[in-house]
Amino acid sequence: EEKARIERRADQVVQGVGELSEQTARIERQLTESQTLTPSSLYEQYLNGHRLQTRFKASRSGTFGQVISREQQTHGILVQDADRLASVYHINQTPFELWSGSPDWEQISGRVQRGASAYSATQLGFLKQDPRVLVMPVGARQSSQLGIQAYALAKDPLAYSRLTLINGSDDAYGEIEFRISASHPDYLEMDVTALDRLIKPFTPTVGDVVINPAGQLVGIMVNDRFCMVIRRLEVEGSIQFGSQPAGTGSRSLLVRKAEQLNAMPRELK
């Protein structure tokens, strides 16, 4: 009889723990839902508080001694990972390309500006998990002077299935469903069947910023189907700004990164 009583008590404890877990999960869901922002609100935040006007410029000597220059005007987004701040870009927003014939740029510069405040950067690094996403370090003092807010990285990229995509080049945005990629855990796959349900005319493109309803950065669209989830700002290889003597510049790093990209699964390229 005593043994049966103890077993009944144990069953009650287990049941109570289960009910408590369900209540906790329900409360967490309610809190999450109460803190969500609309796509239009996320877009306004992006425009007014998170993006940095950026100008990249690279030049080199041509075969016949002429100067070949390439300049790119774009916008980056400020992101915070622990105590590290950086502006994030897709490589298409820069003068650089990932291919075996990448040239050796001899003079490279990067300048960010917001309003009347501006500063020149020192380097541009490649994220370790995908060479198409680059980060430019920004100091806390520089961030304060620029008056810009940093996106926090999403702690749980799967907390929301519907995410907002923002195209900084075309000043457009849209909301769409994503799911985890079973084969590629560092990427979210866009639900292409939901494209016709976008809240406004919008076509997702490479380099779109992906934000969750809590206003956190999930990642960057690396092609027209997959979003690379940015879990941390871990860099592997950097292009140094300034003068690069011929033969010691960016070419070797760009070629290595092109090889890394070519080795990735076909659907992620």
Side-chain angles (χ1 to χ4, degrees):
E1 182 178 346
E2 180 64 18
K3 180 178 179 181
R5 186 182 67 80
I6 293 174
E7 289 178 348
R8 285 196 302 272
R9 178 59 178 165
D11 290 341
Q12 291 173 353
V13 170
V14 171
Q15 182 179 355
V17 171
E19 291 175 352
L20 180 61
S21 297
E22 290 179 4
Q23 291 175 1
T24 301
R26 185 164 56 251
I27 292 172
E28 288 179 348
R29 286 195 299 269
Q30 290 173 348
L31 286 173
T32 296
E33 291 172 358
S34 68
Q35 295 170 353
T36 59
L37 298 170
T38 64
S40 59
S41 295
L42 293 171
Y43 181 62
E44 287 299 320
Q45 285 188 354
Y46 164 81
L47 290 179
N48 299 323
H50 292 288
R51 70 175 182 173
L52 273 174
Q53 183 179 345
T54 309
R55 183 186 69 183
F56 293 109
K57 187 174 182 179
S59 60
R60 61 185 177 87
S61 300
T63 304
F64 303 104
Q66 77 277 27
V67 176
I68 299 174
S69 297
R70 184 178 293 177
E71 185 172 330
Q72 194 88 3
Q73 298 273 1
T74 187
H75 288 97
I77 53 167
L78 189 65
V79 179
Q80 183 160 15
D81 176 17
D83 59 349
R84 184 175 186 183
L85 287 168
S87 188
V88 177
Y89 308 86
H90 188 278
I91 195 164
N92 287 1
Q93 296 175 272
T94 76
F96 312 112
E97 296 176 294
L98 297 181
W99 67 300
S100 59
S102 293
D104 214 7
W105 297 102
E106 300 163 8
Q107 185 73 33
I108 307 169
S109 64
R111 182 177 175 83
V112 298
Q113 181 174 347
R114 192 164 188 269
S117 300
Y119 80 95
S120 296
T122 60
Q123 60 183 308
L124 187 66
F126 293 84
L127 277 194
K128 183 177 181 179
Q129 63 192 97
D130 194 309
R132 290 167 290 186
V133 182
L134 296 91
V135 298
M136 192 162 63
V138 177
R141 181 180 177 183
Q142 295 162 335
S143 173
S144 177
Q145 290 175 341
L146 291 168
I148 189 170
Q149 301 173 358
Y151 278 115
L153 295 176
K155 295 180 180 179
D156 180 5
L158 295 176
Y160 305 88
S161 61
R162 294 186 66 82
L163 303 173
T164 296
L165 284 74
I166 298 175
N167 184 318
S169 299
D170 295 334
D171 286 337
Y173 68 95
E175 186 184 51
I176 196 167
E177 295 176 6
F178 281 82
R179 58 178 177 265
I180 190 68
S181 172
S183 304
H184 314 295
D186 287 332
Y187 295 81
L188 295 181
E189 185 175 4
M190 185 173 61
D191 181 2
V192 294
T193 64
L195 284 174
D196 59 346
R197 299 198 299 271
L198 288 172
I199 62 171
K200 60 180 294 186
F202 176 78
T203 303
T205 58
V206 172
D208 284 352
V209 179
V210 183
I211 310 294
N212 70 18
Q216 300 166 333
L217 177 70
V218 175
I220 301 290
M221 293 297 294
V222 291
N223 59 25
D224 59 1
R225 179 178 160 199
F226 285 93
C227 163
M228 189 209 76
V229 176
I230 301 179
R231 302 184 189 277
R232 54 196 168 275
L233 299 178
E234 186 176 0
V235 171
E236 186 176 71
S238 296
I239 294 175
Q240 302 300 315
F241 293 163
S243 297
Q244 313 285 331
T248 64
S250 58
R251 172 175 161 72
S252 60
L253 179 57
L254 290 170
V255 170
R256 288 202 309 273
K257 292 303 174 181
E259 293 171 351
Q260 179 185 346
L261 178 60
N262 289 335
M264 294 175 69
R266 181 178 179 181
E267 61 269 25
L268 293 181
K269 295 181 183 178

